[in-house]
């Protein structure tokens, strides 16, 4: 219980994180229009979640997912403009955490997701003393695979027929990085 309280305190102390090019911060209802711009786009959400059909869908998602339990959930803000261009989250479960992210396709290929992930890995490993951080991806999502490899995650396996999206059964790959491997990367 004490470790959970310590991790909650770490998130409370790091509700906003600034990187060289980004600002990670809480998502609010004021972000609904920016989020809908990508959450309503089939190409952006293809491997992540069902595209939002209306702005009301986006407002509900913000209220129920990001605002109801905000710790570990961040909006990715565009440098300089204050525009929300994506989200990233670290969902802690005992000594491990699951990483998730989505980015507006207009900003793909600029290295924003790896930059945001690196600060969450540091937070998870250095501040929370997590043993591992993992992420799941639809095996067809090669762009996400490249991001995971870039940040040092290794594919540990494929879970056959482990997911379903839009009525389609899909295979899910699990990628992870351990505290030990992350420390070795940091030294190099």
């Amino acid at each position: 219980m004490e470790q959970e309280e310590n991790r909650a305190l770490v998130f409370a102390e790091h509700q906003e994180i600034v990187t060289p090019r980004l600002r990670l911060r809480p998502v609010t209802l004021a972000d609904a229009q920016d989020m809908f711009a990508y959450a309503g786009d089939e190409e952006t959400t293809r491997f992540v979640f069902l595209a939002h059909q209306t702005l009301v869908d986006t407002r509900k998602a913000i209220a129920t997912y990001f605002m109801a339990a905000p710790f570990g959930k961040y909006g990715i803000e565009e440098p300089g403009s204050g525009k929300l261009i994506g989200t990233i989250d670290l969902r802690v479960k005992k000594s491990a955490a699951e990483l998730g992210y989505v980015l507006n396709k207009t900003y793909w290929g600029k290295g924003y997701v790896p930059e945001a992930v690196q600060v969450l890995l540091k937070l998870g490993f250095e501040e929370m003393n997590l043993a591992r951080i993992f992420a799941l991806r639809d095996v067809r999502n090669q762009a996400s695979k490249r991001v995971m490899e870039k940040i040092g995650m290794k594919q540990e396996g494929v879970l056959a027929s482990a997911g379903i999206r839009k009525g389609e059964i899909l295979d899910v790959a699990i990628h992870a990085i351990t505290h030990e491997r992350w420390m070795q990367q940091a030294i190099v």
Side-chain angles (χ1 to χ4, degrees):
M1 185 64 154
E2 184 178 335
Q3 196 166 32
E4 288 176 27
E5 291 170 354
N6 289 341
R7 290 177 178 152
L9 179 59
V10 170
F11 280 134
E13 292 172 342
H14 295 88
Q15 290 184 60
E16 183 176 311
I17 303 170
V18 178
T19 74
R21 301 182 304 153
L22 304 171
R23 179 174 167 240
L24 306 183
R25 46 107 175 139
V27 177
T28 70
L29 288 175
D31 296 312
Q33 193 65 53
D34 289 343
M35 184 181 283
F36 183 66
Y38 64 84
D41 178 69
E42 292 286 342
E43 184 180 1
T44 299
T45 64
R46 178 178 173 206
F47 299 116
V48 189
F49 53 81
L50 293 174
H52 297 179
Q53 299 303 303
T54 67
L55 186 60
V56 172
D57 293 341
T58 302
R59 290 175 54 81
K60 287 177 184 176
I62 290 171
T64 59
Y65 184 75
F66 292 98
M67 295 180 74
F71 285 170
K73 299 170 186 168
Y74 298 90
I76 302 172
E77 188 177 289
E78 179 185 36
S81 74
K83 180 178 179 174
L84 182 83
I85 61 171
T87 58
I88 188 166
D89 59 337
L90 191 65
R91 298 177 298 278
V92 177
K93 299 167 184 166
K94 298 189 181 184
S95 64
E98 183 177 357
L99 176 71
Y101 49 82
V102 63
L103 188 72
N104 184 316
K105 70 182 178 190
T106 304
Y107 299 90
W108 290 356
K110 299 178 188 287
Y112 289 154
V113 172
E115 184 173 327
V117 169
Q118 287 295 350
V119 297
L120 291 188
L121 291 178
K122 182 176 180 168
L123 188 71
F125 289 132
E126 290 185 7
E127 301 288 330
M128 297 181 183
N129 200 32
L130 295 173
R132 65 187 267 116
I133 296 175
F134 68 96
L136 304 174
R137 69 170 178 86
D138 182 321
V139 294
R140 299 169 298 176
N141 189 344
Q142 293 301 304
S144 195
K145 179 181 181 181
R146 286 189 297 277
V147 167
M148 293 174 191
E149 290 170 345
K150 189 174 189 177
I151 61 169
M153 287 185 159
K154 303 291 183 202
Q155 183 171 314
E156 296 181 330
V158 174
L159 307 171
S161 301
I164 189 162
R165 186 169 297 108
K166 300 177 187 174
E168 181 182 8
I169 294 174
L170 51 100
D171 296 341
V172 176
I174 184 165
H175 295 253
I177 184 168
T178 62
H179 185 268
E180 180 181 4
R181 192 168 347 127
W182 183 80
M183 292 295 288
Q184 290 169 348
Q185 284 180 193
I187 293 170
V188 175

